[in-house]
Amino acid sequence: MLNGEKILFSGMQATGNLTLGNYLGALKNWVQIADEYTTFYSVVDMHSITVRQDPAEFRKRARNLLTLYIAAGLDPEKNCIYYQSHVSGHAELAWVLNCFTYMGELNRMTQFKDKAAKHADNINAGLFTYPVLMAADILLYQADVVPVGIDQMQHLELCRDIAQRFNSIYGDVFTIPEAYLGKSGAKIMSLQDPSKKMSKSDENVNASIYLMDDPDSIIRKFKRAVTDSEAHICYRDEQPGIKNLLDIYCACTGKTPDEAVKEFENGGYGDFKLAVGETVVSVLRPLQEKYQELSKNKDYIDQVIKNNAEKANYYATKTLRKVHKKIGFPERIR
């Protein structure tokens, strides 16, 4: 806890292009809760290299993502927005935590099994120890809360186990983080397969709305969105395509599903899809305009990167000093 405020940590990988799902499910929510916590929002580029990246493209995507954080409404003066790779403490603490993590625990991680199946030609040690680096991300800043989806909950539980194990040996060193259970972001599904989440890596370009999509592309994708043959707008699991479109509409407008259903109950699917598309266009327009403005201001973004890296390193170093002392590393001469 800093200055009486609880600490919140979260981050996104610098791979692919952010989707509407990333925005409505996470980034928009970050902005809404930023004033409630002392926040650390990282571009977790170190996690991204478990899969081979094109260096120039990877560097560009990392900067674009950091810029999008700001364009979405995160004030870099109030929120620590930084590159994970600019804070060596992440890797340094991850090594220490590796020595307090059991192989059996990592073997049980379902995401490792899933990613290993997808990247059978590159099952590297980083992919296996990914959850330990995630634990280091969180514990490095003594985070009280971490917004996580269901797919990351297993990793957070491991983080808690590692922290408790370390504390049981060396005393009160790490804050035990809790899952953030406040305002939840919307869970946005694929426009072409509403049984799975909208993804940055979906091969079907019509399945995802990307934050930088132009209005015509957005409208076209919504017109092609999968629905059903019932021709009745209703919010229920038996109509996953319609339910997903209603979730998107509600997340953008602040309306409840019941209010949205009542608004469109006498219309057809075509008009409904168009209305959702136009709503998304209007929501993304100010973000896109701000992003374009920020992208032209290289000096400003460079200064943000420098200042926030220094801030993140300051807090990371405080934790590392405590950890090093506890485990018996020789004191550094400063």
Side-chain angles (χ1 to χ4, degrees):
M1 189 173 291
L2 290 174
N3 303 319
E5 290 184 335
K6 287 187 175 182
I7 299 167
L8 181 146
F9 174 88
S10 196
M12 292 185 188
Q13 287 200 46
T15 55
N17 296 310
L18 284 196
T19 69
L20 181 67
N22 297 128
Y23 177 66
L24 297 178
L27 190 50
K28 181 183 177 185
N29 199 36
W30 291 1
V31 175
Q32 293 173 339
I33 63 178
D35 291 338
E36 301 173 24
Y37 299 93
T38 296
T39 57
F40 293 85
Y41 291 123
S42 182
V43 174
V44 288
D45 47 355
M46 291 169 66
H47 283 289
S48 303
I49 63 169
T50 58
V51 177
R52 298 288 175 262
Q53 306 291 337
D54 174 82
E57 184 64 22
F58 183 38
R59 196 173 293 115
K60 178 182 176 182
R61 288 187 186 281
R63 188 180 181 93
N64 290 349
L65 179 55
L66 186 140
T67 304
L68 268 173
Y69 283 2
I70 304 170
L74 291 173
D75 184 347
E77 295 293 324
K78 297 179 180 179
N79 304 275
C80 188
I81 301 169
Y82 71 101
Y83 293 133
Q84 182 189 30
S85 61
H86 283 193
V87 182
S88 61
H90 285 266
E92 196 170 342
L93 183 58
W95 170 250
V96 173
L97 298 183
N98 269 322
C99 300
F100 292 84
T101 307
Y102 300 133
M103 294 286 287
E105 291 174 318
L106 295 177
N107 274 324
R108 289 194 293 272
M109 296 293 107
T110 55
Q111 276 214 341
F112 169 72
K113 297 172 185 176
D114 293 343
K115 290 186 177 182
K118 291 179 181 178
H119 304 283
D121 59 336
N122 184 26
I123 305 175
N124 55 72
L127 195 62
F128 188 64
T129 60
Y130 181 107
V132 184
L133 178 57
M134 181 175 167
D137 298 339
I138 297 165
L139 300 179
L140 193 61
Y141 302 102
Q142 304 291 352
D144 296 282
V145 290
V146 184
V148 290
I150 294 174
D151 57 340
Q152 293 288 343
M153 187 61 76
Q154 190 182 34
H155 289 172
L156 182 60
E157 287 301 324
L158 177 61
C159 173
R160 288 169 52 84
D161 289 344
I162 296 169
Q164 287 168 344
R165 183 175 301 139
F166 194 96
N167 286 356
S168 70
I169 300 170
Y170 298 109
D172 187 17
V173 178
F174 294 121
T175 299
I176 308 301
E178 301 283 348
Y180 176 75
L181 299 175
K183 308 180 187 75
S184 59
K187 185 177 181 181
I188 306 303
M189 313 305 283
S190 162
L191 296 183
Q192 294 298 308
D193 181 0
S195 67
K196 64 180 185 180
K197 284 177 65 175
M198 186 176 287
S199 171
K200 293 188 289 183
S201 58
D202 201 311
E203 294 180 359
N204 186 340
V205 295
N206 292 311
S208 301
I209 302 295
Y210 300 105
L211 296 191
M212 291 298 111
D213 275 349
D214 61 80
D216 289 343
S217 296
I218 292 172
I219 297 298
R220 184 171 62 252
K221 288 180 181 181
F222 274 107
K223 285 182 176 179
R224 294 175 178 174
V226 169
T227 50
D228 52 57
S229 58
E230 294 191 29
H232 181 63
I233 297 172
C234 189
Y235 190 77
R236 57 184 189 139
D237 292 339
E238 290 77 13
Q239 292 179 270
I242 293 297
K243 184 180 179 183
N244 185 40
L245 293 177
L246 285 167
D247 280 335
I248 292 171
Y249 185 74
C250 291
C252 289
T253 62
K255 294 182 179 180
T256 66
D258 286 344
E259 289 171 339
V261 167
K262 188 172 183 180
E263 182 178 348
F264 295 107
E265 62 184 352
N266 296 320
Y269 283 178
D271 290 341
F272 172 53
K273 289 182 184 181
L274 180 60
V276 177
E278 289 175 340
T279 300
V280 170
V281 168
S282 67
V283 165
L284 293 185
R285 183 178 292 114
L287 181 149
Q288 292 176 346
E289 291 174 350
K290 185 64 176 177
Y291 173 82
Q292 297 298 339
E293 176 190 332
L294 289 167
S295 296
K296 296 174 184 176
N297 196 340
K298 181 179 182 299
D299 291 343
Y300 171 72
I301 296 298
D302 286 348
Q303 194 62 48
V304 166
I305 291 169
K306 179 179 182 294
N307 291 347
N308 282 302
E310 291 173 353
K311 181 179 178 181
N313 272 294
Y314 170 77
Y315 289 109
T317 299
K318 289 178 67 174
T319 296
L320 281 172
R321 284 179 181 171
K322 184 186 294 187
V323 169
H324 289 172
K325 182 177 181 180
K326 291 290 186 180
I327 61 179
F329 283 172
E331 185 176 352
R332 299 185 187 186
I333 308 301
R334 304 181 188 281

